[in-house]
Amino acid sequence: DRRAAQRVRRPRGQAHVTGPVTIPALRTSAVAANTGKLRRGHPCIAVIFGAAGDLTHRKLVPALFNLGLDGALPDTFMILGIDREAKDDAAFRTAMRDAVMANAAWTRQQLAAWQKFEQRLFYMSGEFGEPATYTALKERLKALDAALPDSEGDLFHLAIPPSPNAMGITHLSER
């Protein structure tokens, strides 16, 4: 149940508040034909820094899995998680499956979809501030890109605290 948005309170002397602005949307035949359908994304590798964290477990991977169920992800979409925890691809896949399945009863179709989805999950460990991590990342992406000939690039998500962000961005720009 959604309520109407509250009016913004203005400081004294600014009593004038504008009314709502409505902009009519243009509907072309192409837009009308796709109403209610998600557009399928392009093949790429999503790199998640902070993959062992709560945000990845509770929000990112479940959302990506649901996009896959809805047909919005191409079959060649891959996820590479990076964090300081030492684990392999299989342990990462198990952790993500447990996180996604934690709050729902699954059907056979969802289980089959997960088994297909988890084959596209990969993991590597490393310290965010060390250049060796980004060298290893470059090599891992090169190997994954070889299996993804129609890739349109990489997507980077920083699910890490702000302190290592600047250093991570600097290292990524050198990649």
Side-chain angles (χ1 to χ4, degrees):
D1 184 35
R2 291 188 160 181
R3 299 183 337 191
Q6 299 292 317
R7 292 186 70 109
V8 176
R9 293 185 179 194
R10 307 277 184 200
R12 258 184 223 164
Q14 295 182 1
H16 177 70
V17 177
T18 61
V21 177
T22 305
I23 301 172
L26 298 175
R27 288 184 65 94
T28 63
S29 59
V31 172
N34 286 330
T35 302
K37 295 181 184 176
L38 293 174
R39 197 171 85 199
R40 192 173 189 98
H42 298 288
C44 73
I45 300 171
V47 181
I48 302 174
F49 286 84
D54 192 49
L55 178 66
T56 304
H57 284 78
R58 288 188 315 111
K59 300 289 183 179
L60 296 177
V61 171
L64 290 169
F65 175 62
N66 285 326
L67 284 172
L69 284 176
D70 293 339
L73 293 180
D75 293 335
T76 52
F77 181 84
M78 295 182 189
I79 300 169
L80 174 60
I82 302 175
D83 211 317
R84 292 175 287 199
E85 281 185 30
K87 62 172 90 171
D88 60 2
D89 292 342
F92 180 62
R93 290 171 180 157
T94 300
M96 292 301 108
R97 182 186 64 233
D98 293 344
V100 171
M101 296 175 91
N103 297 322
W106 283 30
T107 64
R108 282 188 203 168
Q109 290 138 341
Q110 289 171 319
L111 286 172
W114 176 262
Q115 289 171 347
K116 187 176 176 184
F117 180 81
E118 77 177 351
Q119 297 306 310
R120 300 182 278 165
L121 293 174
F122 302 92
Y123 184 85
M124 63 175 278
S125 61
E127 290 293 328
F128 302 129
E130 292 187 18
T133 300
Y134 299 91
T135 304
L137 171 62
K138 183 177 182 178
E139 294 303 315
R140 187 75 189 262
L141 286 174
K142 191 183 295 184
L144 291 173
D145 277 333
L148 195 64
D150 55 347
S151 174
E152 295 196 15
D154 303 319
L155 169 78
F156 295 93
H157 182 80
L158 303 175
I160 55 178
S163 55
N165 275 351
M167 193 175 303
I169 292 170
T170 301
H171 287 300
L172 285 174
S173 68
E174 296 167 356
R175 189 177 86 75

